[in-house]
Amino acid sequence: MGQIVVTVALTMVLLGCSGSSQSPAVAGFINQTRHSDADLQAIWKGAQQSLAQQIDLNPLQQLSKSVSAGMRPGDPRALSVEPYQLLVAAEPDVSPEVLFAATGEQRASPTGMIVCPQPCNVRYSTAYSFYQPELTKYASSWEFSGNNFDVILEYEFENHILNVLGYDMKWR
């Protein structure tokens, strides 16, 4: 009888130690930038603060269609959203020749633009984000371009936060 109790107890301990595919993901970034995790976390905090104050739901629509801003009051829930294994990485800028052939836009090298794959609503962008899997990619030339890197990533991090909170992302 004593052996059975020990066997059952040992089995329960071992089962308790096993991993579960339904355990929550580890918070943080999969950082493939040349910035520290602390830098990315500071940019994330800036995105949280911005969204807690005010939300612009249609900045892309404003650029393409002369419409007014879709401003909403801030959402304090943004302050509690954290990144979970969010991949952040650079992609090589598209060449001026490729950009011109595809869009007619002339830019010097580096162009500061990357291909934005489907389902993006633009062909080229400075950065883009996907939510399944969670990732943000940006044009590598922005990595150490003054504070532009922070501005670009803050916008993309805002998109991740808004997506988690259930906002319409059509014009973001």
Side-chain angles (χ1 to χ4, degrees):
M1 177 81 150
Q3 246 181 356
I4 294 173
V5 170
V6 170
T7 303
V8 168
L10 184 57
T11 301
M12 290 177 67
V13 167
L14 290 174
L15 287 174
C17 294
S18 68
S20 167
S21 62
Q22 297 193 16
S23 62
V26 177
F29 300 98
I30 300 172
N31 184 355
Q32 295 181 358
T33 74
R34 296 191 296 184
H35 291 267
S36 70
D37 286 351
D39 290 341
L40 295 184
Q41 190 62 42
I43 297 168
W44 184 272
K45 291 292 182 199
Q48 289 176 310
Q49 291 292 328
S50 176
L51 294 173
Q53 294 172 17
Q54 189 171 17
I55 300 170
D56 183 353
L57 289 177
N58 67 337
L60 292 178
Q61 187 181 32
Q62 293 169 52
L63 291 174
S64 64
K65 297 185 190 235
S66 298
V67 298
S68 59
M71 302 308 287
R72 301 288 182 269
D75 188 333
R77 298 178 302 158
L79 298 172
S80 64
V81 176
E82 294 295 333
Y84 288 97
Q85 295 298 293
L86 170 56
L87 171 67
V88 183
E91 281 193 19
D93 293 35
V94 67
S95 73
E97 296 79 20
V98 168
L99 186 63
F100 181 74
T103 66
E105 182 178 348
Q106 291 187 315
R107 285 185 175 225
S109 187
T111 60
M113 303 293 277
I114 55 175
V115 173
C116 190
Q118 292 298 320
C120 289
N121 54 6
V122 295
R123 291 175 63 189
Y124 296 93
S125 182
T126 57
Y128 64 88
S129 292
F130 289 148
Y131 312 111
Q132 294 296 324
E134 290 188 46
L135 66 85
T136 291
K137 298 278 185 118
Y138 59 91
S140 60
S141 65
W142 292 107
E143 183 103 28
F144 291 104
S145 178
N147 71 344
N148 292 326
F149 177 78
D150 294 8
V151 171
I152 290 167
L153 280 192
E154 184 172 317
Y155 175 81
E156 295 302 327
F157 289 174
E158 286 178 5
N159 290 342
H160 281 280
I161 295 166
L162 289 170
N163 182 66
V164 167
L165 296 176
Y167 284 87
D168 181 1
M169 302 300 293
K170 180 179 180 181
W171 292 107
R172 287 283 308 186

